[in-house]
Amino acid sequence: MRRLSKAQGILVFYVFDLALLLLLIISFLPFMRRKGPSSKDTALLNPAYKDAVSFIELSQGGGGLFSGARTVSLEKAGTIWLGSSSDGNGEFVWPADMQSVGKLLELVSSVIRSYEKSSSRKDWGAFGITDSEAFSLSFYDSSHKTLSFLYFGIDDPLTGRVSVRSASDVTVYEVDGGIQPYLTADESFWADPFLYPQCLTGLGRAEAEEGLRRGKLENIRPREGLAADHTGRLYFGNGAEILFSIYRKDSSYIVIPSLTPGPAASDLERAAVSRISYRYGISGLTLDNLLEELRQAE
């Protein structure tokens, strides 16, 4: 039998290795041809509808106002926003944080990249976007026509994206998670954070930040006939005023403000402010600071 030379042996090994490499490449061709997840640029709310939004509903549980889910409702009145919630059975109306509402509208109307994850209704549970478990966010115009109705589910910690689908579609997408801090039905998050609400004072955010802040909203009523522990009235440069009625509760205090808008307020805004009826907690230190400001204003 003829023996291979050393050079011929090396050549045989190279040919064998090349054949193995070709087989490996061929085996991966189906994966190489497979496309990545479909993506597109979109907006959660058509930018053309941004200024038309008059009502916003946020619901933890996906169902909406009559489903038993925890819900916050926001309503535009002129240049201001009002809010109410299921926590207060819709009975208490509070001034909304205009900056938070504005930021939410900016986020949903901005064009972002969305990634298609599934086109099957069977996968909704895996993404946490069934009607019963998702967080729903909906926008309406002044005639209550739906402008956008969205269901948000789980977030992906690796990509930082959150799953979402439209109520009018079965397809599940993932979008940037920047909207997640606003997916909450906590009324205290959405209410104006200051003792002197911006809708009344007309102050800009930076100037308002220098004032006193409220605590958690409290959906309670004082016992009938119970006298306030402290009262005081504060006037503002635009002619608006607040009457504070303050009640002690354990180691803290409950404040019930009564707001009166200034003469420059429009009829729509005046009517909106007249609907405001809410209360919130403050600490003893905040009470001392408030009483001092009331004394200085006398």
Side-chain angles (χ1 to χ4, degrees):
M1 180 180 292
R2 182 182 175 185
R3 300 181 61 184
L4 295 176
S5 68
K6 182 177 180 180
Q8 289 173 324
I10 292 174
L11 179 61
V12 170
F13 277 112
Y14 273 127
V15 171
F16 183 70
D17 287 344
L18 180 60
L20 288 177
L21 179 60
L22 288 173
L23 286 173
L24 184 63
I25 292 174
I26 291 172
S27 68
F28 275 97
L29 280 177
F31 299 98
M32 295 171 67
R33 289 195 296 266
R34 185 176 296 169
K35 294 181 180 180
S38 174
S39 65
K40 63 179 181 179
D41 288 332
T42 188
L44 299 173
L45 170 72
N46 187 326
Y49 296 157
K50 178 182 177 182
D51 293 336
V53 174
S54 294
F55 300 92
I56 303 173
E57 289 181 3
L58 307 101
S59 181
Q60 183 61 61
L65 284 173
F66 304 107
S67 67
R70 192 182 188 196
T71 302
V72 162
S73 301
L74 303 171
E75 176 184 350
K76 189 176 184 180
T79 61
I80 67 178
W81 283 84
L82 302 179
S84 61
S85 78
S86 58
D87 287 350
N89 295 319
E91 177 182 359
F92 300 99
V93 177
W94 29 266
D97 184 346
M98 293 186 289
Q99 280 73 28
S100 293
V101 176
K103 182 61 176 178
L104 174 64
L105 289 171
E106 178 185 331
L107 285 169
V108 297
S109 61
S110 297
V111 176
I112 55 175
R113 175 71 66 173
S114 64
Y115 301 84
E116 183 176 332
K117 302 299 292 183
S118 172
S119 58
S120 173
R121 188 185 300 267
K122 293 185 297 184
D123 292 334
W124 285 3
F127 290 100
I129 54 171
T130 61
D131 291 5
S132 61
E133 63 184 332
F135 186 96
S136 67
L137 173 61
S138 50
F139 302 87
Y140 307 88
D141 66 12
S142 58
S143 63
H144 284 274
K145 175 186 175 182
T146 302
L147 302 177
S148 179
F149 199 125
L150 306 163
Y151 290 98
F152 291 87
I154 62 173
D155 62 288
D156 186 333
L158 296 179
T159 63
R161 302 182 193 126
V162 60
S163 56
V164 61
R165 70 174 173 89
S166 169
S168 60
D169 191 6
V170 300
T171 306
V172 183
Y173 295 92
E174 278 188 348
V175 296
D176 176 70
I179 193 175
Q180 285 179 282
Y182 298 89
L183 301 181
T184 175
D186 179 358
E187 61 179 5
S188 291
F189 174 89
W190 289 106
D192 185 293
F194 308 112
L195 265 61
Y196 317 142
Q198 286 181 272
C199 69
L200 189 74
T201 64
L203 297 177
R205 186 69 176 201
E207 193 172 359
E209 290 281 359
E210 298 177 1
L212 300 173
R213 284 178 170 263
R214 60 162 177 81
K216 182 177 178 293
L217 296 192
E218 299 283 355
N219 297 309
I220 58 176
R221 292 188 181 279
R223 187 178 70 252
E224 187 175 351
L226 180 65
D229 292 277
H230 304 277
T231 60
R233 192 180 301 271
L234 198 62
Y235 298 90
F236 301 92
N238 62 354
E241 63 180 76
I242 304 179
L243 172 63
F244 293 99
S245 298
I246 305 168
Y247 300 81
R248 185 180 182 88
K249 182 188 178 187
D250 301 324
S251 59
S252 61
Y253 296 86
I254 302 297
V255 178
I256 301 180
S258 179
L259 313 183
T260 302
S266 68
D267 290 341
L268 180 60
E269 292 165 347
R270 187 174 298 277
V273 171
S274 70
R275 292 172 53 199
I276 293 176
S277 174
Y278 72 125
R279 52 283 331 264
Y280 49 79
I282 59 172
S283 66
L285 178 59
T286 301
L287 172 65
D288 291 341
N289 290 330
L290 174 58
L291 294 177
E292 179 60 27
E293 292 188 7
L294 291 172
R295 280 192 291 268
Q296 291 178 2
E298 291 178 350

